[in-house]
Amino acid sequence: MQRIEFELDRDYVELNQLLKLTGLCDSGGQGKQIVASGAVYVDGQQELRKTCKIHAGQVVQLEDVEIRVIAV
């Protein structure tokens, strides 16, 4: 499994934007499609809300990639 640490420099980042910022998709629109497909999990639970607020300390998983969101 590939692990990515994403440094969050604000209160939260929207889920679709997180996928874009970590390079897992090319645009926020593509990120929304990925989330809508049911392939994304947040803290072990399937997440279908495209603009779900992701905060420091949360873990996002897409297939074999795990993103750990950490505070700066």
Side-chain angles (χ1 to χ4, degrees):
M1 177 175 286
Q2 178 186 355
R3 288 186 169 82
I4 299 172
E5 282 195 354
F6 179 79
E7 294 183 354
L8 187 63
D9 60 355
R10 56 199 118 163
D11 289 339
Y12 67 89
V13 63
E14 292 180 352
L15 182 54
N16 64 315
Q17 291 297 316
L18 177 64
L19 298 178
K20 176 184 165 189
L21 293 170
T22 55
L24 297 178
C25 64
D26 295 327
S27 68
Q30 188 180 20
K32 286 182 179 183
Q33 290 177 340
I34 293 169
V35 174
S37 75
V40 180
Y41 290 79
V42 176
D43 295 333
Q45 301 279 6
Q46 185 180 44
E47 183 57 73
L48 298 172
R49 295 174 295 161
K50 301 167 193 97
T51 58
C52 170
K53 295 177 181 177
I54 304 298
H55 300 273
Q58 290 190 290
V59 178
V60 176
Q61 185 173 345
L62 172 61
E63 297 172 353
D64 65 341
V65 179
E66 182 179 272
I67 306 166
R68 293 193 170 273
V69 182
I70 57 174
V72 177

